[in-house]
Amino acid sequence: HTRGVYPKESLWFNKSEDWDPSRLIQGIRKIVFCDEFDIADLHVEAIIAVGPDFCHSLQDFRAGDSETGRGASLRDAAMVRFAAACPNLVHVQLDGGRNLGDASLLAFFNNCPKLRYIQVSGNDRCTGDVQGSALDELREAPEKAKKLDKIRLTDQMTSIEKSVKNLSMVRKKLVIELGETRERGSGVHTWLRGKKKFGYQAFGGRGGFSQYGGW
């Protein structure tokens, strides 16, 4: 989704000891906090503090990891401010964000018109806090996040499935991934055009994306 981002335009923080806000310089379009980095609100706030020129150049933001539990320290308030500060985001990946809920999702839907992909996931031991209201609002607002191709909401409460289905019925080209990543969980499945696809169906098999002109 962020093709054309060169290595020098990408900033990677592999471990928490690598954190250095002086590396947040103009020209960065992609920031990745890897699975050994314990991402927290203070890191997000530091990015916002660099200023509008820097934030407006960001297209791709990735943080957290469902297996290690990194991402659990993030809270909605910080992500709402981040979404408002970074309107040109195309790809947002918040893995392991078990304390992030509908407020975070809705903030990206409302503030990032170029958004193509968003993930807000819990972790393989604890479900996330998305309850479905952001999906309901998106369903009722076709003018929001019109370029959105895919939403990934793994390790969330199963009660959001109704909201997922209803949104999928309205936004027929939108792919929504839902389910559990834990080893003994029910697995991850895909919603497309209001229907649940399992396994190979979602990737060109009978009843899968190819049948519907997928991506």
Side-chain angles (χ1 to χ4, degrees):
H1 294 309
T2 49
R3 293 170 187 160
V5 176
Y6 297 98
K8 66 180 181 179
E9 298 172 323
S10 300
L11 184 57
W12 295 68
F13 293 102
N14 294 312
K15 299 180 179 180
S16 297
E17 309 89 81
D18 297 337
W19 173 244
D20 180 0
S22 69
R23 295 174 63 193
L24 301 171
I25 59 175
Q26 298 301 323
I28 297 297
R29 296 168 64 190
K30 176 178 180 178
I31 299 178
V32 179
F33 291 92
C34 298
D35 57 1
E36 294 186 32
F37 192 105
D38 194 9
I39 178 76
D41 290 351
L42 67 91
H43 304 110
V44 176
E45 298 289 0
I47 294 171
I48 297 170
V50 178
D53 288 344
F54 178 82
C55 290
H56 287 195
S57 72
L58 284 182
Q59 296 180 9
D60 192 327
F61 181 82
R62 310 182 189 208
D65 180 72
S66 63
E67 292 188 11
T68 62
R70 309 298 190 194
S73 298
L74 292 173
R75 296 295 188 273
D76 280 326
M79 297 317 301
V80 168
R81 289 190 289 273
F82 180 69
C86 304
N88 294 312
L89 285 166
V90 176
H91 185 111
V92 175
Q93 184 173 319
L94 301 171
D95 197 8
R98 64 182 179 87
N99 290 304
L100 299 178
D102 292 276
S104 291
L105 266 182
L106 191 60
F108 289 107
F109 294 157
N110 287 339
N111 292 289
C112 305
K114 298 178 182 179
L115 191 67
R116 300 283 300 276
Y117 175 94
I118 184 165
Q119 173 185 1
V120 179
S121 297
N123 62 47
D124 57 8
R125 294 181 180 84
C126 184
T127 56
D129 200 33
V130 174
Q131 299 181 39
S133 62
L135 304 177
D136 295 337
E137 289 198 38
L138 185 62
R139 185 189 74 239
E140 298 296 332
E143 75 281 1
K144 292 181 181 179
K146 292 190 291 186
K147 295 185 177 181
L148 192 60
D149 292 324
K150 186 174 182 179
I151 302 174
R152 182 174 172 88
L153 299 171
T154 48
D155 297 321
Q156 299 288 354
M157 291 178 283
T158 56
S159 58
I160 70 170
E161 189 166 81
K162 181 178 179 181
S163 295
V164 168
K165 179 180 180 178
N166 290 340
L167 175 59
S168 178
M169 290 175 67
V170 172
R171 295 209 175 194
K172 299 186 183 301
K173 293 184 179 180
L174 177 63
V175 175
I176 308 175
E177 291 184 343
L178 190 68
E180 299 177 353
T181 61
R182 58 179 61 90
E183 204 171 303
R184 296 185 180 181
S186 58
V188 177
H189 48 267
T190 301
W191 282 91
L192 182 67
R193 292 194 171 188
K195 295 182 179 180
K196 187 188 295 186
K197 309 295 176 183
F198 293 92
Y200 73 96
Q201 289 184 339
F203 296 97
R206 186 169 181 175
F209 289 177
S210 62
Q211 225 178 299
Y212 298 101
W215 42 275

